Amino acid sequence: MNASDKVWTAAVLVIGDEILSGRTHDKNIAQIASWLQVQGIRLTEARVVSDDMAAIVAAVNALRQTYDYLFTTGGIGPTHDDITVDAVASALGVPVVVHPEARAILERYYADRTGGPTDARLRMARVPEGADLIPNRMSGAPGIRWGNVFIMAGVPHITAGMLDALTGTLEGGAPLIAETVGCWVAESEVADLLRTIEKTHPGCQVGSYPFFREGRTGANFVIRSIDGELLSAAVASLCEALAAEGHAFTPGGI
Amino acid sequence: MNASDKVWTAAVLVIGDEILSGRTHDKNIAQIASWLQVQGIRLTEARVVSDDMAAIVAAVNALRQTYDYLFTTGGIGPTHDDITVDAVASALGVPVVVHPEARAILERYYADRTGGPTDARLRMARVPEGADLIPNRMSGAPGIRWGNVFIMAGVPHITAGMLDALTGTLEGGAPLIAETVGCWVAESEVADLLRTIEKTHPGCQVGSYPFFREGRTGANFVIRSIDGELLSAAVASLCEALAAEGHAFTPGGI
């Protein structure tokens, strides 16, 4: 394998009782996944754990050791249930310290706001020792980077801003590209055809994602590859095979 | 601990490249979480892995051994990328067999449909040896139960039907109940107050979920307990404390 063939991998660890209670639908997995694709990094696993020290520590250590990058979301606010920084520091085996730059940012941010820079707010300047900050242009508290661990906010638009700040700064490989072909057909009708397309086009994966809309059955077929030419050839074969079996299809998906 | 105090736990394993690519937003974690709450079972962890045999086998074994119940979603359709049944069987150490009742259901379901009961469609009658079926009243292929492992569909409305069929059949404990109080306040302003409420009300957890809407900062405070009286007392204390600090609040949340 050449160095350039390396597949860069990442995991997301969502921290929060609110996701596991069903109260809040997670949006960060999909958001980080899409962003990683563009960086040439493949999201390979995601986990959701509750606001529990032991659970967070175990997941952080399992994931940061298995994948090239780990992104955590949630649990970095000012309230008592925000324990991510303490848990990550414990996983890394380093103490929690106050980051002077983070403290200065928070003092500036809260200077003119009701209540001012309280102790609770300044808790958000605490980081695992040796960490760097990730800029947050949406609100006061910055994200945190320690080695291959990225500690992001739980609120999706704040995490979006942090991802923007990280764009282009992480080493990745060739981005996985994808093309979608949609078809109003039961996927079971074309299962053999799809299997053949994947078998005869090495370097391409073919996924089938059925849906049921407006009382009709359909599916989107997604072909993925890191090679644009292989991808185009596979898509052409798929369209040809669908047409040969009399199925109308929609390039780009339905 | 009395037998009746046992906390029943569950995990969800979402199987599918489409979630990890960011293409599809998972809805099954939240849906299963809400359903489990009513059954008195606590969703304690969720994982998302790709359509990869080794990854599924490892996650199935880790989760079914750690929690009382494991629900998998996705990968049980008729196409080549549907490998959940094979992976679960491998994790359980049993062969894959054709379930006669599942086969009969599929033959009936596809009898009058275009293409009929093809080999690809009848693949959906394959189960880990010793499994029972979970009724599916939305489409043909049933779900599968093997011990504490429940193999569900990836399409959310099909999984919803399978959950309906399982309602009331799983042993659980006292359901965790929750009350929400919303407030147009930065959570950092009331962080001390929330910490005090949790400390002075044993048996209750207090969560704080900030949001940013219509240009304003707010938060919902969620108090959870398995004891209705403890819960009501904690909610009353929270409302009193918010009022004493001059914050208007909305019972039920914003």
Side-chain angles (χ1 to χ4, degrees):
Chain A
M1 190 167 84
N2 297 326
S4 62
D5 291 340
K6 174 172 164 64
V7 175
W8 292 80
T9 59
V12 169
L13 176 61
V14 176
I15 296 162
D17 291 341
E18 72 273 28
I19 307 293
L20 290 172
S21 72
R23 193 181 167 282
T24 302
H25 287 239
D26 170 70
K27 291 179 182 159
N28 281 319
I29 294 175
Q31 158 168 276
I32 296 174
S34 301
W35 179 84
L36 284 169
Q37 292 249 2
V38 180
Q39 315 305 311
I41 299 165
R42 206 161 301 174
L43 180 59
T44 312
E45 181 171 348
R47 294 193 191 180
V48 188
V49 296
S50 65
D51 301 317
D52 174 85
M53 184 68 68
I56 302 170
V57 169
V60 165
N61 275 333
L63 297 172
R64 76 185 176 96
Q65 286 160 8
T66 306
Y67 303 105
D68 293 313
Y69 302 104
L70 167 61
F71 291 78
T72 73
T73 69
I76 61 166
T79 57
H80 64 281
D81 54 341
D82 292 306
I83 60 172
T84 298
V85 167
D86 299 85
V88 171
S90 170
L92 298 170
V94 300
V96 175
V97 297
V98 170
H99 194 293
E101 191 187 333
R103 192 184 161 102
I105 291 169
L106 290 166
E107 282 174 339
R108 270 199 307 280
Y109 184 81
Y110 285 114
D112 301 330
R113 286 182 161 78
T114 317
T118 59
D119 284 354
R121 286 167 168 171
L122 294 177
R123 273 189 84 227
M124 295 188 284
R126 298 164 72 250
V127 304
E129 190 175 50
D132 293 317
L133 303 183
I134 302 169
N136 167 9
R137 51 183 169 71
M138 301 294 175
S139 57
I144 299 164
R145 173 180 186 165
W146 196 103
N148 69 339
V149 182
F150 297 77
I151 303 175
M152 318 287 277
V155 179
H157 83 276
I158 299 180
T159 289
M162 293 177 178
L163 291 173
D164 265 1
L166 289 172
T167 296
T169 67
L170 270 57
E171 186 165 6
L176 196 65
I177 45 180
E179 275 199 48
T180 303
V181 178
C183 199
W184 289 104
V185 66
E187 61 168 358
S188 55
E189 271 190 65
V190 294
D192 292 340
L193 181 163
L194 296 174
R195 184 189 302 268
T196 303
I197 296 292
E198 185 170 88
K199 264 199 188 153
T200 54
H201 289 85
C204 296
Q205 295 103 46
V206 181
S208 172
Y209 306 113
F211 57 78
F212 185 76
R213 283 183 217 151
E214 305 154 25
R216 295 166 73 196
T217 296
N220 281 306
F221 309 122
V222 179
I223 308 189
R224 299 185 182 91
S225 179
I226 57 170
D227 184 308
E229 284 185 28
L230 293 181
L231 179 65
S232 299
V235 170
S237 295
L238 172 63
C239 294
E240 215 170 280
L242 287 171
E245 294 199 2
H247 302 296
F249 56 85
T250 308
I254 298 171
Chain B
M1 189 167 88
N2 297 325
S4 61
D5 291 340
K6 175 174 163 60
V7 175
W8 293 81
T9 59
V12 169
L13 177 61
V14 176
I15 296 161
D17 290 342
E18 71 273 30
I19 307 292
L20 290 172
S21 73
R23 195 181 165 280
T24 303
H25 286 238
D26 169 71
K27 291 179 184 160
N28 281 319
I29 294 175
Q31 157 168 277
I32 296 175
S34 300
W35 179 85
L36 285 170
Q37 290 251 1
V38 180
Q39 317 303 311
I41 299 165
R42 206 162 303 173
L43 180 59
T44 313
E45 182 170 347
R47 293 191 192 180
V48 188
V49 297
S50 65
D51 302 317
D52 174 83
M53 185 65 72
I56 303 171
V57 170
V60 165
N61 275 333
L63 297 172
R64 76 185 176 95
Q65 286 159 8
T66 306
Y67 303 105
D68 294 312
Y69 302 104
L70 168 61
F71 292 79
T72 73
T73 68
I76 61 167
T79 56
H80 64 281
D81 55 341
D82 292 306
I83 60 172
T84 298
V85 166
D86 299 84
V88 171
S90 168
L92 298 170
V94 300
V96 173
V97 298
V98 170
H99 193 292
E101 190 187 334
R103 194 185 160 101
I105 290 168
L106 290 165
E107 282 175 340
R108 272 200 306 280
Y109 183 82
Y110 285 112
D112 300 331
R113 285 180 161 78
T114 317
T118 57
D119 284 351
R121 286 166 168 172
L122 293 177
R123 271 190 86 227
M124 294 188 283
R126 298 165 71 250
V127 304
E129 189 175 50
D132 295 317
L133 302 182
I134 302 169
N136 168 9
R137 52 184 169 69
M138 301 293 173
S139 59
I144 299 164
R145 174 181 185 164
W146 195 102
N148 69 339
V149 181
F150 297 78
I151 302 174
M152 320 286 279
V155 180
H157 83 276
I158 300 180
T159 289
M162 293 178 179
L163 291 174
D164 265 1
L166 289 173
T167 295
T169 67
L170 270 56
E171 185 166 8
L176 197 64
I177 45 181
E179 275 198 49
T180 303
V181 177
C183 200
W184 289 104
V185 66
E187 60 168 358
S188 55
E189 271 191 65
V190 293
D192 293 340
L193 181 162
L194 296 173
R195 184 191 301 268
T196 303
I197 296 292
E198 185 169 90
K199 265 199 187 153
T200 54
H201 291 273
C204 296
Q205 294 102 46
V206 181
S208 173
Y209 306 114
F211 57 78
F212 185 75
R213 283 183 218 152
E214 303 153 28
R216 296 164 73 195
T217 297
N220 281 306
F221 310 120
V222 179
I223 307 189
R224 299 186 181 90
S225 179
I226 57 170
D227 184 308
E229 284 183 29
L230 293 182
L231 180 65
S232 299
V235 170
S237 294
L238 172 63
C239 293
E240 215 170 281
L242 288 170
E245 293 199 1
H247 301 298
F249 57 85
T250 307
I254 298 171

